Amino acid sequence: MRPVLVVMHAPHEGPGLIARGLDAPIRVRTVLDLDDARLPGLDEVSGVVVMGGPMDADDVPGHPGLAAERALLATAVDADVPVLGVCLGMQILALALGSRLHLRAATEIGFAPVDVVAEDLMLGALGERPTVLHWHSDTVDLPSGATLLASTAATPVQAFRAGSALGLQFHPELDAGMLDLWLSTPDMVGDLSPEEIDEIRTAGAEHLPGLAPAATKMFAAFGELVRARG
C-alpha cells in the first residue's frame, strides 16, 4: 500500500490521532521553508494530510514551500485523492480551491462547541455539536462548490467538504499527551496567561476522554478511503 503523505509545519503539530486512526503507513514531509520544495507525486501516495502551524497560509514570500503545498492540494482534489486539512492545512486547502483568507478575523483558542450543519461520513463521527479544541485567528471563505459542514458564530467556516477533501479549522487530532506538549511549547502559549493555560488544561481533561475516541473513528473513516485507493 502506498503511504499517506503528512505535511507538517511545526514539530509539535504532528498528526496525533490521525495516524492512529489511519491504520496505514505514513510519510512525513516538511517543506515549509524550502525554495525548491518538492512533494511526492500523487502516484506515490494514497492520501494527503496537511497539518497546522503558526504562519499565515498565504505567506509564500516568507515560507515558499506553501506554494508547493497549495499546488499539490489543488491537484489532489482534481484527481479525487483523499485529502484532510487541519487548521492551517484547511486554510491552504481553501486557497488551493480559490477561496479567500482573512487574517486576524476571529481568534478562538480553547475548547468550545462547533455546530455541525450538514451530514458527512467522516465529520459525523463527532456528533451534532461536539466540543473541540480551537487554536486560530485567521478564517477562510467557503470555497466555491464546497459544502459547509460546521460553523461557529466567530468563524462561519469551521469545516467543509470539497469532493475528496475535508477541511477542519479546529483540532480533533489531539490526545491528552499532545495537549500537554502544546501547553508547554512557548510558540503555542506565549500570548496566553497562566490562567488561560490552566483553563485549557482543565477543559482538555473534561472533554478529551470522550472526544478522542470519536475523532479516532472519524480518522478511521478517512483511513478507509485511503485504503480503497491503495
Side-chain angles (χ1 to χ4, degrees):
M1 178 178 176
R2 291 172 291 185
V4 176
L5 173 66
V6 177
V7 182
M8 289 177 51
H9 308 97
H12 51 275
E13 297 210 40
L17 294 175
I18 299 172
R20 188 183 307 173
L22 279 179
D23 189 27
I26 65 171
R27 180 178 178 184
V28 178
R29 291 290 308 277
T30 302
V31 300
L32 186 65
D33 295 324
L34 301 181
D35 290 320
D36 58 345
R38 298 180 183 180
L39 289 164
L42 295 178
D43 59 338
E44 301 176 51
V45 301
S46 56
V48 180
V49 177
V50 183
M51 300 308 305
M55 58 289 305
D56 297 339
D58 62 352
D59 186 13
V60 175
H63 304 285
L66 290 172
E69 295 183 36
R70 191 187 303 184
L72 179 69
L73 289 175
T75 305
V77 174
D78 283 345
D80 203 32
V81 174
V83 169
L84 176 61
V86 178
C87 201
L88 174 67
M90 182 191 101
Q91 296 166 8
I92 299 170
L93 172 63
L95 290 174
L97 298 174
S99 185
R100 293 180 57 195
L101 177 73
H102 303 281
L103 300 175
R104 320 308 167 242
T107 297
E108 291 181 291
I109 298 178
F111 285 87
V114 293
D115 292 310
V116 176
V117 298
E119 292 185 1
D120 182 79
L121 176 65
M122 288 177 54
L123 186 63
L126 298 185
E128 293 183 358
R129 199 168 190 262
T131 295
V132 295
L133 179 63
H134 305 264
W135 210 297
H136 74 99
S137 59
D138 301 340
T139 66
V140 295
D141 292 337
L142 183 67
S144 177
T147 300
L148 179 66
L149 298 180
S151 182
T152 61
T155 305
V157 181
Q158 282 280 0
F160 67 81
R161 165 71 62 184
S164 61
L166 174 65
L168 304 172
Q169 183 59 69
F170 50 92
H171 289 277
E173 77 276 15
L174 271 77
D175 59 13
M178 195 168 172
L179 180 61
D180 285 343
L181 173 62
W182 281 24
L183 295 179
S184 61
T185 299
D187 286 349
M188 295 295 294
V189 299
D191 294 331
L192 301 180
S193 69
E195 292 77 16
E196 289 170 323
I197 294 171
D198 286 343
E199 183 178 332
I200 294 171
R201 181 175 287 110
T202 299
E206 177 183 354
H207 296 293
L208 285 179
L211 179 63
T216 301
K217 183 179 178 181
M218 176 175 68
F219 299 135
F222 182 72
E224 291 178 9
L225 299 175
V226 163
R227 287 189 295 278
R229 186 166 188 266

